[in-house]
Amino acid sequence: MSGTAGQVIRCKAAVAWEAVKPLVIEEVEVAPPQATEVRLKILYTSLCHTDVYFWEAKGQTPLFPRIFGHEAGGIVESVGEGVTDLKPGDHVLPIFTGECKDCAHCKSEESNLCNLLRINTDRGVMIHDGKSRFTIKGKPIYHFLGTSTFSEYTVVHVGCVAKINPLAPLDKVCILSCGISTGLGATLNVAKPTKGSTVAVFGLGAVGLAAAEGARIAGASRIIGVDLHSKRFEKAKNFGVTDFVNPKDHEKSVQEVIVEMTGGGVDRSLECTGNVNAMISAFECVHDGWGVAVIVGVPNKDDVFKTHPINLLNERTLKGTFFGNYKPRSDIPAVVEKYMNKELEVEKFITHSVPFSEINKAFEYMLNGEGLRCIIRMEP
């Protein structure tokens, strides 16, 4: 790959020219990495709901034309000036948030909210010079989440690249770069259920099932899945879910139902939908005295969380988490090792696979509620 270092690479990318229109496979020019940047050859990528959300222009600032994609696995093609901990040929996962290792957050053992590289959904250019590394016939194409993995080659800040075990299959572990790690870490790093405890998970999409998987790994005795789609329960059993509650089946509130089911409330709960009412239910269904609720889903910007202060005074704890409290460069390699050591199953999250030329099928699967993760193979 070193033959292309320092040169513009022409390759294929799936470009979103406007909201809700099918992506178009185009030939793009990918500039060499600048200082603190890395150019990656993407081998596998997958579709996350966040890509769909911004493709539908439901995010804060619609920005087109854009190259979406942020769950992926690839190989370092070349590195920019000042990059010392990565070299061409390294196997990596690009991550939508980063770890500069220098700011107060990165130096804190309690935070993963890097001042420099935390998620920025509005920015469509590189931090180094405020320019895009993608062009089509000289016209800039915007980046997405600093990753833009729906391209055969992409340029990413070094702080958003996790170097992983080269023996790990990239077509499997690529999904650990976003949703699965988010749900898993929310449980293991933030909720921290103990062996034999009870856990409620609100929302049984990929992130919620990853949260349930974390509860299973932790040894929870009872995992209650909450979802509006009863058909999800059967699949959820594979992730350790033991009970299912569909709010539409009850006249009482979900929190009341769960409190009755458990004789006072669950020990831990995780909200993975982004619905503010589900967040309130997740908090109010935990046991007084020791219950901990963790908010994982991202709410609409105008939502307001309302609960009676007595719920806090009665020693319930409400927490939030971002990317499962994982620091990308420091922690994600160890999550990959969990998979390599057979402590974590990722295959059961992968329900579809398509070649890059059929990337729009992945959108159809997600929009139709089919499956969890669709792997997009960059090479046929």
Side-chain angles (χ1 to χ4, degrees):
M1 282 192 231
S2 57
T4 52
Q7 300 176 22
V8 171
I9 290 178
R10 295 179 186 276
C11 69
K12 289 184 174 136
V15 179
W17 288 101
E18 54 185 303
V20 199
K21 292 292 177 71
L23 305 189
V24 181
I25 303 292
E26 305 275 13
E27 182 181 85
V28 299
E29 302 97 30
V30 185
Q34 301 300 304
T36 70
E37 296 173 359
V38 184
R39 188 160 61 184
L40 308 178
K41 178 179 174 64
I42 299 297
L43 297 180
Y44 300 95
T45 185
S46 68
L47 181 65
C48 170
H49 187 263
T50 303
D51 297 304
V52 176
Y53 184 74
F54 282 86
W55 168 74
E56 291 177 326
K58 292 179 179 175
Q60 287 89 332
T61 307
L63 202 58
F64 295 94
R66 204 169 200 179
I67 297 173
F68 287 104
H70 63 282
E71 275 191 0
I75 298 173
V76 175
E77 175 270 338
S78 60
V79 302
E81 180 186 342
V83 176
T84 57
D85 53 351
L86 289 171
K87 64 184 186 304
D90 283 345
H91 286 220
V92 296
L93 302 182
I95 311 286
F96 67 92
T97 185
E99 180 186 357
C100 72
K101 297 195 173 182
D102 292 323
C103 71
H105 282 279
C106 285
K107 289 178 178 177
S108 164
E109 292 184 3
E110 298 180 36
S111 174
N112 65 337
L113 299 174
C114 176
N115 278 333
L116 179 67
L117 298 169
R118 74 173 68 178
I119 186 172
N120 185 323
T121 57
D122 293 343
R123 187 174 59 234
V125 294
M126 299 301 290
I127 290 176
H128 176 67
D129 58 3
K131 296 179 180 178
S132 174
R133 301 290 174 260
F134 298 110
T135 54
I136 293 180
K137 297 177 182 174
K139 178 181 176 174
I141 307 295
Y142 291 114
H143 294 247
F144 179 63
L145 299 185
T147 51
S148 291
T149 60
F150 293 167
S151 175
E152 292 176 324
Y153 287 86
T154 189
V155 177
V156 182
H157 191 286
V158 65
C160 298
V161 180
K163 180 180 175 180
I164 65 167
N165 185 339
L167 298 177
L170 289 171
D171 61 331
K172 307 292 193 304
V173 299
C174 63
I175 66 171
L176 295 176
S177 61
C178 180
I180 309 310
S181 292
T182 295
L184 187 75
T187 302
L188 297 178
N189 299 336
V190 187
K192 298 180 181 177
T194 56
K195 190 170 183 179
S197 59
T198 54
V199 178
V201 177
F202 287 72
L204 297 176
V207 174
L209 291 176
E213 180 78 354
R216 184 191 66 78
I217 290 171
S221 62
R222 194 175 183 188
I223 303 172
I224 302 169
V226 182
D227 203 288
L228 295 171
H229 303 284
S230 297
K231 64 181 182 180
R232 289 183 167 179
F233 183 42
E234 202 56 40
K235 185 186 291 286
K237 290 178 182 177
N238 297 328
F239 299 83
V241 175
T242 58
D243 300 76
F244 184 77
V245 175
N246 186 333
K248 293 189 292 189
D249 294 340
H250 301 273
E251 292 184 5
K252 295 179 179 178
S253 68
V254 184
Q255 49 268 51
E256 288 177 291
V257 172
I258 292 175
V259 167
E260 284 184 11
M261 286 173 67
T262 54
V266 288
D267 302 309
R268 301 289 185 266
S269 72
L270 297 109
E271 190 289 321
C272 304
T273 71
N275 181 294
V276 71
N277 292 318
M279 295 177 183
I280 294 166
S281 296
F283 175 57
E284 294 183 353
C285 80
V286 298
H287 207 292
D288 58 3
W290 62 78
V292 177
V294 179
I295 304 302
V296 185
V298 179
N300 291 325
K301 58 181 173 50
D302 297 325
D303 284 340
V304 177
F305 185 102
K306 292 182 179 180
T307 192
H308 199 286
I310 197 69
N311 290 319
L312 290 159
L313 291 171
N314 283 338
E315 299 176 17
R316 294 177 182 87
T317 300
L318 179 64
K319 291 185 173 185
T321 180
F322 174 70
F323 192 48
N325 273 45
Y326 285 123
K327 294 178 188 282
R329 298 160 86 182
S330 299
D331 299 334
I332 293 304
V335 178
V336 171
E337 289 308 306
K338 276 183 182 290
Y339 167 75
M340 296 299 282
N341 295 334
K342 295 185 168 48
E343 298 168 36
L344 170 66
E345 298 176 47
V346 299
E347 285 88 350
K348 59 190 180 184
F349 290 96
I350 300 169
T351 51
H352 298 86
S353 177
V354 297
F356 188 38
S357 60
E358 297 177 16
I359 188 171
N360 288 302
K361 276 191 179 176
F363 280 75
E364 290 174 22
Y365 293 141
M366 183 161 284
L367 290 168
N368 293 334
E370 298 175 47
L372 297 171
R373 280 294 183 266
C374 178
I375 301 298
I376 299 155
R377 309 183 300 275
M378 304 307 284
E379 295 176 348

